[in-house]
Every structure is written in C-alpha cells, then in structure tokens.
Amino acid sequence: MAWPKETRDKVRTGYIFDQLTLEMVALKHSVPYDTARRWKMLAAKDGDDWDKLRVAHTLAGDGLENVARTVLISLVIKCQTTMDQLNQNPDVHPKMAVELLASLADSLSKAVSSSKKILPETDRLATALEVIQKLGAFISDKHPTLYASFLDVLEGFASSLESDFS
C-alpha cells in the first residue's frame, strides 16, 4: 500500500518532536510498525537520521533538564526498590549486599551532583525526593502491607512531580 507523504511526515514528526516511540507513533497514525521502521531506515540512508534529530530536539531548550530530572527520579525509585528487595531477601550474601548498596549510593550521589549543574530547581526537587523517601520508609515500617501499593502510586506520581518542577 502506498502511503501519502503527509502520513510519513506525521510519523517522523511524532517520533522526533513528540518523543513518541516508533511503535506508539505508528499506532497513532494507523501505520504498521514495520512500515514506520522501514521509513525511518530509508530516511537515515538518505541523510535524514531521525534518531540524531530526536536527540538534538531533546537537548534543545529545557529538554536536557527534563531528561536529567526524569533520570534522577527514576534512579531514586530504583534505589528504593533495590534496597527493599535486598532487605526482603536473606539469601543475598552480606558482602554482596553492602557492595550493591555502596554502588547505588555512589550512583545516586553522582546523579545528584551532576543534576545540580543542570537543574535550577535541584534543591527543591531534592527536598521533595527526601520527603518521599522518608514517607516510603515510614510506610514500610509502620504499614508494610501498603508498601507495594505505595510504590505503584509513586511511579505515577513521579511524572506529576516532574511536571511540577519543570
């Protein structure tokens, strides 16, 4: 089936500027994923690299801030989840657990340090994240049956928190 150029342009725009995955943008415009993937590949061969343009668009403006903020929030959530899994798994050798926690702490420290250079609201975000961590610890200690639900809510809340600090 021959597709109109405007459909191909919409797929390209959705991928590059709207930051949708190729699967999502293909579905949005009722184009088979394989067709969208082929368009992307052919465009790259012609010098129109959608991935490079997507990255450039992300880094332009406040895109870098959004990426850094998302990475920081995601890292905090992953650290908390990993710590919980370590605490709940007595089969993990203590030396391995300490090494993993040290690595997590180092990664988090580096992420926070670098984010201070990128994000103007890092101090506010760091305070908000600290409150969330303390709430997570409180729920884990005082209401352990609610902790899994808290983590589910926290994942959704992360995007809301991100928009509040952008």
Side-chain angles (χ1 to χ4, degrees):
M1 171 181 187
W3 294 89
K5 183 179 179 333
E6 75 175 30
T7 301
R8 185 182 302 209
D9 291 344
K10 286 179 183 178
V11 169
R12 180 183 182 276
T13 298
Y15 182 77
I16 295 170
F17 298 105
D18 299 336
Q19 299 290 304
L20 297 173
T21 65
L22 197 56
E23 294 87 354
M24 289 173 58
V25 75
L27 182 65
K28 179 179 178 181
H29 296 290
S30 303
V31 173
Y33 170 72
D34 288 337
T35 300
R37 189 178 61 175
R38 190 178 79 253
W39 290 346
K40 183 175 170 270
M41 182 184 67
L42 291 172
K45 285 181 181 178
D46 290 338
D48 181 18
D49 190 326
W50 295 6
D51 289 322
K52 285 182 182 177
L53 292 169
R54 180 181 170 115
V55 169
H57 177 72
T58 300
L59 295 177
D62 67 348
L64 184 58
E65 289 183 11
N66 289 335
V67 169
R69 191 174 294 114
T70 301
V71 167
L72 185 60
I73 290 170
S74 297
L75 183 60
V76 168
I77 292 170
K78 295 294 184 200
C79 286
Q80 184 65 44
T81 302
T82 302
M83 288 175 25
D84 293 338
Q85 289 175 349
L86 283 174
N87 289 335
Q88 295 171 3
N89 188 351
D91 297 333
V92 176
H93 191 274
K95 182 179 178 185
M96 185 179 189
V98 168
E99 289 173 0
L100 182 57
L101 289 173
S103 176
L104 285 172
D106 183 55
S107 295
L108 186 59
S109 175
K110 287 177 181 175
V112 168
S113 176
S114 67
S115 71
K116 286 181 181 178
K117 297 171 188 168
I118 298 171
L119 303 173
E121 306 91 4
T122 299
D123 291 334
R124 287 184 34 212
L125 180 59
T127 301
L129 292 174
E130 183 178 351
V131 169
I132 290 170
Q133 286 177 330
K134 289 180 184 278
L135 178 60
F138 177 81
I139 291 172
S140 179
D141 289 344
K142 304 294 183 183
H143 305 281
T145 58
L146 299 176
Y147 193 68
S149 297
F150 169 73
L151 290 179
D152 288 341
V153 170
L154 186 58
E155 285 191 35
F157 180 67
S159 61
S160 173
L161 189 63
E162 177 184 347
S163 67
D164 287 346
F165 284 89
S166 59

